Amino acid sequence: MAAWLDVVCIISVGALVIFSNKKGIFNIKGLSNNGLVITRILSTLPLTVLLYCLREHKKEHEKSKEKNTNLKRECDEQRSQNELNELEQEFDLLGVVPEKVWKTIRQIEVGFVLNINSRHPEVLVDSAASQVRFVGNTQGPDRWYCVTGSQELSRNHYWEVEVGEKSSWAIGVVTKEIKEKNIISESTDDEFWIIRLCRGKKLEAVQSSTVTELQKSPKKVGVYLKGNLLSFYDVETRQRIHNFHIECSGPLFAVFSPGSRDKGPLILKAKGF
């Protein structure tokens, strides 16, 4: 449309100028006042037409530009969705997180400021706030004394914990109630979503009183909270260990329990106290 509009503008202006010169419209000698007014109006007509054409041309250009921008955005969104679908298919097929997705997840890794006030007396946090260990009696039943992060988690949060060769540990996400109790109990009144290793043999996913037995025990665990989905990964193999769908809308906190079967540390990336 812009092309033929330009042609119309040029022809209109040219025709009016030629016609005006031939007829002497712009010759103001001997004209009455009314004639002078008409002459002045006619003399500005070519410029008016030109300005109108230019304004319409600009509108058409802006509309075309906006349309192209919208089309590009839709194409980019579709391409991103197609890539995501392909990566998800790759994940389902191979059972591991694709390298591209894994890099994206690990880019948002954060360190923690641990909450000393939430620390159980039998849990020691070192001065660098990077190691958490049990310092009580290792005999008796499993106890899940813990320490939590001091700040509420965002719903797009990733962190890693090195568990090494420890025979017991528990990590995941808890509500404010457990943060204040500094122990992960299996009471149905408490809400938590963790994976834990018991007696060096049994890896479990635990949601409050619901326990699901898992297979392989990792040496380093990646924890990813995105929206209402909490995922645990084996960092070394990029395999997903377990997922939880969290329906809780209240504040959530990262939790670290060194268990009670050994005095080896949980090692995490921390910001200090």
Side-chain angles (χ1 to χ4, degrees):
M1 175 148 183
W4 73 260
L5 193 59
D6 291 340
V7 173
V8 171
C9 289
I10 294 170
I11 293 175
S12 300
V13 174
L16 285 169
V17 171
I18 293 171
F19 178 77
S20 299
N21 287 336
K22 284 186 175 181
K23 298 298 182 179
I25 290 176
F26 297 146
N27 185 0
I28 63 174
K29 291 181 180 179
L31 291 178
S32 64
N33 288 337
N34 289 338
L36 287 171
V37 171
I38 293 172
T39 300
R40 287 171 180 167
I41 291 173
L42 290 175
S43 67
T44 60
L45 187 57
L47 180 60
T48 302
V49 173
L50 178 61
L51 291 175
Y52 173 79
C53 291
L54 290 174
R55 186 164 56 249
E56 291 301 310
H57 176 75
K58 182 179 180 181
K59 288 181 181 177
E60 289 295 327
H61 176 71
E62 290 176 349
K63 288 181 180 178
S64 177
K65 184 178 179 180
E66 182 180 359
K67 183 178 180 180
N68 289 336
T69 300
N70 291 337
L71 285 173
K72 184 178 183 302
R73 182 170 59 249
E74 290 175 3
C75 289
D76 290 342
E77 290 175 354
Q78 185 61 46
R79 183 163 53 249
S80 297
Q81 185 60 47
N82 290 340
E83 290 177 354
L84 179 60
N85 291 338
E86 290 176 1
L87 291 171
E88 288 179 347
Q89 290 174 3
E90 182 183 344
F91 175 78
D92 292 337
L93 180 64
L94 301 178
V96 298
V97 182
E99 183 68 27
K100 184 177 180 180
V101 176
W102 188 242
K103 287 181 179 179
T104 301
I105 292 175
R106 297 190 80 187
Q107 283 176 355
I108 63 170
E109 182 184 2
V110 295
F112 278 97
V113 177
L114 295 176
N115 185 3
I116 301 178
N117 295 327
S118 74
R119 176 181 63 86
H120 188 276
E122 294 188 32
V123 172
L124 177 67
V125 179
D126 74 346
S127 58
S130 61
Q131 295 188 9
V132 179
R133 67 179 73 230
F134 177 67
V135 292
N137 188 344
T138 57
Q139 302 300 313
D142 288 316
R143 287 147 289 163
W144 306 105
Y145 304 140
C146 62
V147 61
T148 65
S150 61
Q151 296 181 338
E152 177 184 347
L153 292 170
S154 71
R155 292 299 175 116
N156 188 28
H157 219 109
Y158 176 78
W159 63 101
E160 294 180 354
V161 184
E162 186 176 340
V163 297
E165 300 294 337
K166 281 180 59 58
S167 60
S168 69
W169 49 264
I171 56 177
V173 169
V174 298
T175 57
K176 186 177 181 180
E177 290 73 20
I178 290 183
K179 175 185 176 183
E180 293 172 349
K181 293 178 180 178
N182 56 51
I183 181 172
I184 304 171
S185 66
E186 295 191 19
S187 167
T188 55
D189 295 331
D190 293 332
E191 289 188 283
F192 56 88
W193 302 263
I194 63 170
I195 61 172
R196 70 187 183 190
L197 181 65
C198 304
R199 300 173 184 260
K201 299 177 181 179
K202 190 165 57 173
L203 183 65
E204 300 174 332
V206 189
Q207 178 177 350
S208 298
S209 58
T210 303
V211 179
T212 303
E213 189 167 344
L214 304 176
Q215 299 297 320
K216 184 180 177 182
S217 178
K219 299 293 188 297
K220 191 173 187 179
V221 181
V223 189
Y224 185 30
L225 177 63
K226 185 173 179 61
N228 292 328
L229 182 65
L230 177 65
S231 302
F232 297 86
Y233 299 95
D234 184 329
V235 173
E236 294 179 347
T237 63
R238 305 200 313 271
Q239 289 183 317
R240 186 166 59 194
I241 301 169
H242 191 72
N243 279 345
F244 288 113
H245 291 276
I246 298 177
E247 297 181 359
C248 172
S249 59
L252 300 173
F253 301 86
V255 67
F256 309 91
S257 172
S260 61
R261 289 290 166 182
D262 62 67
K263 298 189 177 182
L266 292 178
I267 303 174
L268 59 144
K269 180 179 180 180
K271 293 180 181 177
F273 293 103

